[in-house]
Amino acid sequence: MDRSELAPLIDHTVLGPETTLEDVRDVLDAAAEYGMNACIPPYAVETAAEYAPDVTLATVIGFPHGQHAPAVKRKEGVTAWQDGADELDVVINVGRLRAGEDDAVRTELAELVAAVPIPVKVIIETALLTDAEKRRACEAAAAADAAMVKTSTGFAGGGAAVDDVELMSEFLPVKASGGVGSYDDALAMLEAGAERIGASSGVDILEGAPE
């Protein structure tokens, strides 16, 4: 896969707790130059939409632990969309999933999906789940009409793995995120079934791709 084919599949990301607006602008500049999307903190969405109107903007909801009250996640999602976000990446409530409260997980996601007219990706945080729990998380996301499932936040001690991408792609399109730092890493995820890559190393990935 060459650079021009790969670039639109990458969400070039900056989400650390110390992220400044200057950091966000740097990511947007790189995304615009290379043809990538950008994934940025919610507080920066309005500024980013004005600064780089041609870059597809994703932002995160309930990040990074997913334990916000459902109404708060829904409000956060609506606010992000109104500020100019094109896509939302929402973290499931892992605790409720692990407790067997699948209906509550599905309902929370469905209410967010219904509240916004833009795609919602569901971060299931694979490093914290068994394979059975990963399947249940994906089932909840699919039942809620989510657009994609995403492997991880990158803040829970694990990232994207080929086996997880293969499992998740049985249910919905997959965004592989967390630890994808090179062209070879990205290609492995895409070959496993991922349709999007989330990475803070978007430029490095593309620089390693054939032109």
Side-chain angles (χ1 to χ4, degrees):
M1 179 176 289
D2 67 29
R3 190 174 298 178
S4 64
E5 293 171 317
L6 180 57
L9 307 182
I10 296 176
D11 291 357
H12 191 37
T13 301
V14 59
L15 292 170
E18 297 177 337
T19 299
T20 66
L21 286 176
E22 182 178 357
D23 297 329
V24 170
R25 291 188 188 99
D26 287 344
V27 161
L28 294 169
D29 287 343
E33 178 181 353
Y34 284 85
M36 297 181 287
N37 316 306
C39 187
I40 61 173
Y43 89 93
V45 169
E46 188 171 15
T47 298
E50 294 173 356
Y51 180 80
D54 295 330
V55 173
T56 297
L57 292 178
T59 194
V60 287
I61 304 299
F63 196 84
H65 299 306
Q67 294 185 327
H68 298 47
V72 173
K73 284 184 176 176
R74 189 164 62 251
K75 176 62 175 175
E76 188 177 16
V78 169
T79 299
W81 161 59
Q82 291 174 338
D83 283 348
D86 299 299
E87 301 176 349
L88 306 178
D89 292 16
V90 60
V91 188
I92 65 163
N93 189 318
V94 174
R96 300 197 85 168
L97 181 83
R98 297 198 69 179
E101 300 176 34
D102 295 29
D103 287 346
V105 173
R106 184 189 68 251
T107 298
E108 176 184 286
L109 296 174
E111 289 178 349
L112 174 59
V113 169
V116 294
I118 56 177
V120 175
K121 312 184 201 85
V122 177
I123 307 172
I124 71 169
E125 207 67 283
T126 51
L128 304 180
L129 303 178
T130 66
D131 283 354
E133 289 166 342
K134 292 167 194 171
R135 291 187 177 92
R136 286 170 38 220
C138 290
E139 287 169 352
D145 284 335
M148 304 184 83
V149 280
K150 177 177 169 181
T151 53
S152 43
T153 62
F155 290 87
V162 165
D163 289 349
D164 289 335
V165 171
E166 290 174 345
L167 180 155
M168 296 164 66
S169 64
E170 297 174 10
F171 299 89
L172 283 171
V174 177
K175 176 177 172 179
S177 183
V180 183
S182 69
Y183 172 70
D184 288 342
D185 291 340
L187 197 60
M189 296 303 161
L190 295 170
E191 289 175 347
E195 298 186 19
R196 191 81 66 87
I197 301 293
S200 59
S201 304
V203 172
D204 292 336
I205 291 170
L206 289 177
E207 289 291 342
E211 294 189 26

